[in-house]
């Protein structure tokens, strides 16, 4: 649970993109090539299993089916799938790990392997079909890869923060200052997250509220152990503090929280490549069905209220139970909001890490597979 966002080494990724784009390009996109799929009603997944993608209200309740729903629909032939993830110790990865542990993927006829790979390494493998999916985020490298011809789409969300969470931008106050008086222009910000991360979007929102912006602050990329130290000893003026590090300064009047990830808007989740988008969408739907069922069964509501489950979760993530208990439950959310990739690309442009013109959502997002899994007809 040390980090929520997957950082991106843009230069390394760019080199990989140049070497693989030619073999990843398709004359026809996966969505255009795929035949329309029949969507049937799914028991246990009623009206609450889908929310209007345009609804970005902070108090929006995430979509939910009944516990145990959607029920498994085992594939006629078993499939082996490899899913890349940047870490196996972060809480937002827990639904995938729990689905493996509880046999939810096996119920669908899927033999799933979770493989730790950083985004720069996983992205070209996903585009070439050497791995099947990536648990990450539509970072700048992903957008640049799609622009270069990669057949990759964001197909489901992961989480949004609890209102009590203060993971995000913290500033060290000078004598007499308050959060409303801080001006961020020209300040130095410490972060372990690169400018190409999805965190650029909420960073930009928080900075602009205080006369700043991604193009008006100085970034200093630091190691995970140095971000808080830099803020405390004056090496940087502000810092992007992740779970559970922000707890170290919460309540201290020398520091102020300026904002974090928007509530009700997931910024990461599953990325599919050609294998599950077009070559084998049945397996793509089956994977999402198992993931959604796991969320509905084990991660609904405030799942940290159950001490036994927190103990099980800590063992699964190989982390200290007390560390998990220090922060509120995540709002696990498989849906994708309208316009999120537009807002992300605007932030990447402001940060100077995007290439070419912004991509329309039709090129970056596919909601059809999770809609099929819960039986929603658009």
């Amino acid at each position: 649970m040390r980090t929520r966002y997957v950082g991106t080494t843009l230069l390394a990724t760019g080199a990989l993109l140049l070497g693989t784009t030619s073999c990843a390009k398709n004359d026809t996109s996966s969505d255009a090539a795929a035949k329309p799929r029949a969507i049937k009603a799914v028991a246990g997944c009623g009206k609450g299993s889908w929310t209007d993608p345009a609804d970005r209200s902070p108090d929006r309740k995430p979509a939910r089916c009944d516990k145990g729903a959607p029920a498994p629909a085992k594939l006629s032939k078993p499939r082996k799938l490899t899913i890349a993830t940047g870490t196996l110790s972060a809480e937002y990865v827990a639904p995938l790990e729990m689905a493996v542990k509880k046999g939810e993927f096996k119920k669908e006829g899927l033999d799933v392997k979770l493989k730790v790979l950083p985004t720069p390494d996983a992205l070209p493998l996903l585009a070439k079909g050497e791995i099947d999916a990536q648990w990450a985020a539509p970072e700048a490298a992903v957008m640049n890869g799609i622009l270069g011809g990669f057949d990759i789409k964001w197909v489901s969300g992961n989480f949004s923060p609890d209102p009590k969470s203060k993971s995000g931008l913290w500033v060290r106050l000078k004598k007499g200052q308050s959060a409303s008086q801080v001006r961020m222009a020209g300040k130095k910000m410490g972060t372990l997250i690169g400018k190409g991360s999805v965190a650029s979007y909420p960073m930009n929102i928080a900075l602009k509220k205080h006369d700043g912006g991604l193009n008006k602050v100085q970034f200093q990329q630091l190691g995970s152990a140095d971000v808080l130290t830099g803020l405390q000893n004056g090496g940087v003026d502000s810092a992007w503090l992740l779970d559970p590090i922000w707890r170290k300064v919460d309540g201290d009047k020398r520091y102020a929280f300026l904002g974090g990830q928007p509530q009700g808007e997931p910024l990461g989740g599953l990325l599919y490549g050609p294998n599950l988008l077009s070559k084998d969408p049945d397996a793509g739907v089956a994977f999402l069905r198992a993931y959604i069922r796991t969320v509905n069964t084990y991660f609904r509501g405030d799942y940290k209220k159950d001490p036994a489950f927190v103990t099980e979760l800590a063992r699964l993530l190989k982390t200290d139970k007390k560390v998990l208990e220090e922060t509120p439950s995540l709002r696990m959310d498989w849906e994708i909001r309208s316009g999120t990739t537009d807002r992300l690309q605007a932030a990447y442009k402001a940060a100077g890490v995007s290439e070419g013109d912004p991509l329309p959502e039709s090129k970056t997002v596919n909601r059809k597979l999770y809609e099929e899994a819960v039986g929603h007809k658009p």
Side-chain angles (χ1 to χ4, degrees), residues 152-167:
I152 293 173
K153 281 191 170 64
W154 185 20
V155 299
S156 81
N158 52 6
F159 75 92
S160 59
D162 185 276
K164 297 186 292 294
S165 174
K166 294 182 182 178
S167 173

Side-chain angles (χ1 to χ4, degrees), residues 308-329:
F309 184 71
V310 176
T311 298
E312 183 179 13
L313 196 59
R315 290 173 180 165
L316 187 70
L317 300 175
K318 296 180 174 61
T319 192
D320 192 324
K321 181 181 178 181
K322 291 182 179 179
V323 172
L324 282 178
E325 293 173 333
E326 285 180 355
T327 55
S329 299

Side-chain angles (χ1 to χ4, degrees), residues 46-99:
K47 186 177 179 181
S49 66
W50 180 88
T51 66
D52 182 353
D55 184 359
R56 290 197 293 135
S57 55
D59 59 350
R60 175 185 65 86
K61 292 183 179 180
R64 288 290 182 266
C65 301
D66 295 342
K67 288 185 178 181
K74 197 166 187 176
L75 298 167
S76 58
K77 294 182 180 179
R79 271 80 149 178
K80 290 186 177 182
L81 301 181
T82 300
I83 315 301
T85 175
T87 178
L88 288 173
S89 61
E91 189 175 337
Y92 66 86
V93 191
L96 294 192
E97 296 183 81
M98 191 65 71

Side-chain angles (χ1 to χ4, degrees), residues 12 17 52 56 71 97 112 163 207-208 217 258 265 283-284 307 318:
L17 294 180
D52 182 353
R56 290 197 293 135
E97 296 183 81
V112 172
L207 289 168
K208 283 185 174 181
V217 298
L258 301 186
E265 185 175 15
K318 296 180 174 61

